[in-house]
Amino acid sequence: MKIVKNSEIEWIYFDKHDMFGGINENLPNNDFADVMFAKILVGHTLKKHWHSRPSEDGYESFFFFNGAFIELLLENKNVIYKEEEPFTLTFYSNEVHGIKNLGTSDLIFQVLTAPHFDDNEEHFVD
């Protein structure tokens, strides 16, 4: 068993995403899937993008453990979503998605990708 506390997460800013990625060597990471954390500051936006996953059932899943007040940026529409309970958003293969933090605090959530994330799979939408 491995335990990772939030205080042990290393935050790295990714300018092209306008968000921080949270990593730790004890988070699961193999050819089948990997886990990291993401942090979007108040008023900031994870830019609209999509993934060329190796199969149609590949996905990127976001778990919001404190709920969220966000604007989902989808391919043809934007949707405002406010939820106080934990919830998960899952985007498959080439679904366009982005997230704007409309809340009053930093938005921190867990990201699970399957199969393993590849740096060349991500494509940003203007």
Side-chain angles (χ1 to χ4, degrees):
M1 178 176 79
K2 295 181 180 181
I3 297 175
V4 178
K5 299 176 187 175
N6 284 355
S7 61
E8 298 169 339
I9 295 172
E10 177 185 354
W11 292 102
I12 301 168
Y13 182 70
F14 295 103
D15 185 52
K16 68 180 180 179
H17 297 85
D18 189 23
M19 62 158 250
F20 290 85
I23 60 171
N24 181 286
E25 65 184 22
N26 288 323
L27 290 172
N29 184 342
N30 59 38
D31 289 342
F32 302 105
D34 52 35
V35 174
M36 67 175 281
F37 286 84
K39 177 168 47 176
I40 303 173
L41 301 180
V42 174
H44 286 247
T45 303
L46 168 58
K47 297 175 183 176
K48 197 184 287 191
H49 64 284
W50 60 278
H51 300 266
S52 52
R53 307 297 298 168
S55 66
E56 286 187 26
D57 61 349
Y59 59 86
E60 180 177 51
S61 189
F62 303 148
F63 175 60
F64 299 86
F65 45 91
N66 288 323
F69 181 27
I70 57 178
E71 182 175 4
L72 293 172
L73 311 174
L74 305 173
E75 186 167 19
N76 295 315
K77 65 181 176 179
N78 294 353
V79 178
I80 293 181
Y81 192 75
K82 186 173 185 177
E83 182 60 61
E84 294 181 16
E85 291 185 42
F87 68 96
T88 300
L89 291 174
T90 302
F91 300 97
Y92 292 90
S93 289
N94 58 3
E95 286 183 293
V96 173
H97 58 282
I99 298 172
K100 181 171 184 172
N101 181 2
L102 300 177
T104 57
S105 60
D106 295 343
L107 180 63
I108 298 175
F109 53 99
Q110 189 176 60
V111 180
L112 170 65
T113 57
H116 176 74
F117 180 80
D118 181 290
D119 287 333
N120 297 317
E121 75 180 44
E122 208 164 36
H123 310 280
F124 289 89
V125 178
D126 293 330

